[in-house]
Amino acid sequence: MSRWFRRHLEMIVLVTSASLLAGGGLAWWAGLSGAARSAWIAGALLGLAFALAATVDAARHRRPTVDVIAVLALAGALWVDEPLAGAIITLMLATGQVLEARADARARRELSLLTARAPRTARRVTPGGIVDVSVDDVGVGERLLVRPGEVVPVDGRVVSASTFDEAALTGEPMPVARPAGDDVRSGVVNVGAPVEIVTTTTASTSTYAALVRLVEQAQASSAPFVRAADRWAIAFVPLTLVLACVAWWAAGDPVRAVAVLVVATPCPLLLAAPIAIVSGLSRAARMGVVIKGGGALERLARARVVVFDKTGTLTRGRPTLTDVLVREATADEALRLAASLEQVSAHVLAGPIVEAARARGLALELPEAAEEIHGQGVAGTVDGRRVRVGRPSWIVGERPDAWTRQVRRRADLDGSMSALVELDGRVAAALLLHDPIRPDAPRMVRALRAVGVSRIVLATGDRDDVAAMVGRIVAVDAVLAECTPADKLAALEREAAHGSTVMVGDGINDAPALAAADVGVALAARGSTASSEAADVVLTVDRVDALADAMLIARRSRRIALQAVAVGMGLSLVAMIAAALGYLSPTAGAALQEAIDLLAIAIALRAVVPTRMHSIVLSPEDRATLASLRVEHDSLAPLVESVASVADALTSARPDLGDARALVASLESDLLPHERADEERLVPVVARALGSTEAVAALSRTHAEIEHQVARVRRLLDTVDGGATAEDVVELRRMLYGLYAVLKLHNAQEDEGAFSLVPVGSA
């Protein structure tokens, strides 16, 4: 009961003070002056106790506060027999406290996910067999067994090669193969076969335990939100007290001093500012951005430096099939057989492979005799053919041939992951998967700069070359690669020299940095994680460009709050001077203060009025147009990739141009009509959305360039109809590679500038 009372104290005081004030008014109207006086005195005493408690609490924490003015005003009103003025002041104070409590209600920063995920037991390998022991009893140099799907309990060294999901520590979605003798950290998940490790630390000194401590320390170092009123108190309280004393001394009448204190009660600070902040919180929530309290909103408004994690924030956070390299089968057939087999696999790459096959309209079959080798791949029979899909080292062994080495080299250059497809004992194709950059990420970075962010940093656990590529595309100011959670904390400390910091991430490994930054922003569209627990701002929509709009809302709300405070306190100062000169009684001053409060609130309510955001609002017709064109756009991805495949297959030794002729025919019948439809339908939609035809000039230019390049290839093929020379093959290959580069760049432009305006899956 006492806990419930403390949690709802402000609301109880508000309801009680309103009831006493209204009850006293009704009693006075009914001619019961004694009852009215008693009700108003009770209201004033309630406010005095409430304000006095707040003042004592502020003094105990050595925090300046304007509540001392309320204490003096309430005590003075009772002293000079002005109980109605005291009852009005109590209502103002209670209303301000309730609004402030609502605005500053912070979501609890729990470590529930981190602690629940931490292993409690370990499997010790002994001469007598496997023994389950408490993880706290594990010492250095012991042998532990980690089964598939289990979390590594303490840091150690793997006895045999295995594969681990290290996303909890690095944030990277790709499984990592660890050879025998390599170090493995606690907190990662074994996604391969059962593996033994030799421990190198104890549980208390392991990586995962350190991660939990980092979050705890970072949370403890986060300063609490200080009310706007408190920052004005240092100058406002002495001014009020001096003016009240001067009025008393000059007139010899304590009533004037009380009147000064009454009109000085800083309700514009206690009411207007929280209302503007709550309005900002509400507007952000409607956009899918949950800001955990007024303190977080205010700090977001002051932010000047934004530090991004890569995976899941600037990239999708989930692998996507980008290319099918064929050797002894067609791309569609290899993908169909591989995806049919992957339907029964729980591997992280299985889902994207199946999705890609279905997106191409391929008919999948259920495999027979399927068997998954953890961390290696899956084997089975599909349509009577023996199929294996998995790691190159599992398919071809430790001695890859030239074609497999070329696949690996291409994957390394692109920062991709490769899986080989074996059909009836022969390598037939390779699947390349990549974590793509979010199409809305570059626009989000530009929008952040437009709202006043002066520095943007990418801090990721990924390789330096991959991080640098992402940083170039989204145009950040600095790139920090191969970062551990501790490295991200150190980066935030360095970046704090440039201004207030914002950390954006979505993984457990980002939780310490999210808690340590001035504002932590978590992406939780795919589910709640420890990052959302540690964050101040949570994006519940799968769009990072919502962050720029949230920052715009925060800055506007803070600006309006300051305007409301400035107007309200300015008028209060004028009223204080009038009261000091004897023109206002305490009751009249309290009524005037209410009018000033209403004006300040009206100014604060401007924060509710919608303004233009960076996010584009499309009409239902335009959304439907973009959605239909996007379906066509995505369906043409295999045709675009076949341009490079055909060019790769061209050889001057056997100048067979049949595949090139078929390719050009498909480009003319499928691709060019789509590009013309884009020019006629997509370009006007984007121009309307962005408010400028100049913004789509690059799209129109590349539409024309694509048609021009296809026409050039067609003319070349027509001129060599009688037979191609080696020089013709070289020229054709050069033209196809050039066309492929134009198509890839154009598709990226459309993804970023057009199709990112509509979230994936919306219509």
Side-chain angles (χ1 to χ4, degrees), residues 363-614:
L364 305 185
E365 304 289 341
L366 285 177
E368 299 176 359
E371 178 187 9
E372 183 165 8
I373 310 300
H374 290 289
Q376 300 297 326
V378 59
T381 302
V382 180
D383 286 347
R385 306 190 66 177
R386 187 61 182 171
V387 182
R388 289 204 305 163
V389 183
R391 299 172 58 86
S393 59
W394 181 59
I395 299 293
V396 299
E398 299 300 327
R399 295 185 170 223
D401 56 18
W403 187 86
T404 305
R405 288 196 300 270
Q406 183 180 1
V407 168
R408 174 57 61 86
R409 182 166 58 250
R410 177 168 173 178
D412 289 341
L413 290 174
D414 294 340
S416 302
M417 187 173 186
S418 61
L420 295 185
V421 181
E422 182 186 84
L423 303 179
D424 299 324
R426 297 176 63 86
V427 176
L431 308 178
L432 299 186
L433 298 101
H434 182 65
D435 184 15
I437 296 173
R438 288 176 176 267
D440 55 335
R443 187 172 68 249
M444 178 267 300
V445 169
R446 293 192 296 270
L448 287 176
R449 297 192 191 280
V451 299
V453 173
S454 59
R455 184 169 171 81
I456 299 175
V457 178
L458 170 60
T460 177
D462 210 343
R463 295 177 357 219
D464 181 72
D465 56 335
V466 176
M469 179 270 294
V470 174
R472 282 193 299 269
I473 292 176
V474 301
V476 300
D477 296 304
V479 175
L480 306 175
E482 301 180 3
C483 291
T484 64
D487 292 333
K488 292 181 181 180
L489 283 180
L492 282 170
E493 291 180 4
R494 292 193 302 270
E495 296 300 331
H498 299 281
S500 183
T501 58
V502 175
M503 176 68 200
V504 186
D506 77 330
I508 294 176
N509 63 299
D510 298 319
L514 291 173
D518 294 315
V519 180
V521 179
L523 278 73
R526 295 187 180 93
S528 177
T529 65
S531 62
S532 61
E533 299 288 348
D536 304 289
V537 179
V538 179
L539 304 186
T540 60
V541 292
D542 195 18
R543 296 177 63 86
V544 291
D545 58 351
L547 174 60
D549 285 336
M551 191 169 290
L552 189 63
I553 289 173
R555 295 192 176 188
R556 181 172 180 266
S557 299
R558 182 172 181 267
R559 183 173 63 252
I560 290 175
L562 292 176
Q563 291 171 357
V565 166
V567 172
M569 297 311 296
L571 292 176
S572 293
L573 183 60
V574 173
M576 289 165 58
I577 295 174
L581 295 176
Y583 295 114
L584 289 175
S585 67
T587 300
L592 177 60
Q593 184 63 44
E594 281 286 8
I596 294 174
D597 292 345
L598 291 176
L599 176 60
I601 290 172
I603 295 174
L605 287 174
R606 290 166 47 226
V608 180
V609 179
T611 57
R612 182 174 177 81
M613 297 285 100
H614 291 97

Side-chain angles (χ1 to χ4, degrees), residues 1 43 48 103 340 346 386 430 480 575 729 739:
M1 183 64 180
L48 180 61
S340 295
R386 187 61 182 171
L480 306 175
V729 172
L739 173 61

Side-chain angles (χ1 to χ4, degrees), residues 218-253:
Q219 288 176 329
S221 67
S222 298
F225 173 59
V226 180
R227 296 183 305 172
D230 294 338
R231 293 195 297 273
W232 287 57
I234 295 176
F236 192 75
V237 171
L239 175 64
T240 301
L241 295 178
V242 168
L243 188 57
C245 291
V246 169
W248 189 352
W249 174 78
D253 184 0

Side-chain angles (χ1 to χ4, degrees), residues 199-224:
T199 60
T200 56
T201 66
T202 62
S204 60
T205 58
S206 65
T207 300
Y208 201 64
L211 178 60
V212 174
R213 286 194 299 272
L214 281 173
V215 177
E216 293 171 339
Q217 293 166 4
Q219 288 176 329
S221 67
S222 298

Side-chain angles (χ1 to χ4, degrees), residues 234-294:
I234 295 176
F236 192 75
V237 171
L239 175 64
T240 301
L241 295 178
V242 168
L243 188 57
C245 291
V246 169
W248 189 352
W249 174 78
D253 184 0
V255 175
R256 288 196 183 185
V258 173
V260 170
L261 294 174
V262 168
V263 296
T265 303
C267 288
L269 287 172
L270 300 177
L271 291 174
I275 286 174
I277 290 173
V278 168
S279 299
L281 297 176
S282 176
R283 286 204 61 210
R286 287 196 295 270
M287 295 171 44
V289 181
V290 178
I291 303 177
K292 298 180 181 179

Side-chain angles (χ1 to χ4, degrees), residues 682-696 757:
L682 181 142
V683 168
V685 168
V686 178
R688 283 196 298 271
L690 301 181
S692 170
T693 56
E694 289 299 319
V696 294
L757 301 179

Side-chain angles (χ1 to χ4, degrees), residues 144-148 152 158-162 164 190 192-197:
L144 302 179
L145 176 68
V146 182
R147 294 176 178 172
V152 174
V158 293
V159 176
S160 58
S162 190
F164 299 92
N190 180 19
V195 63
E196 289 187 16
I197 67 170

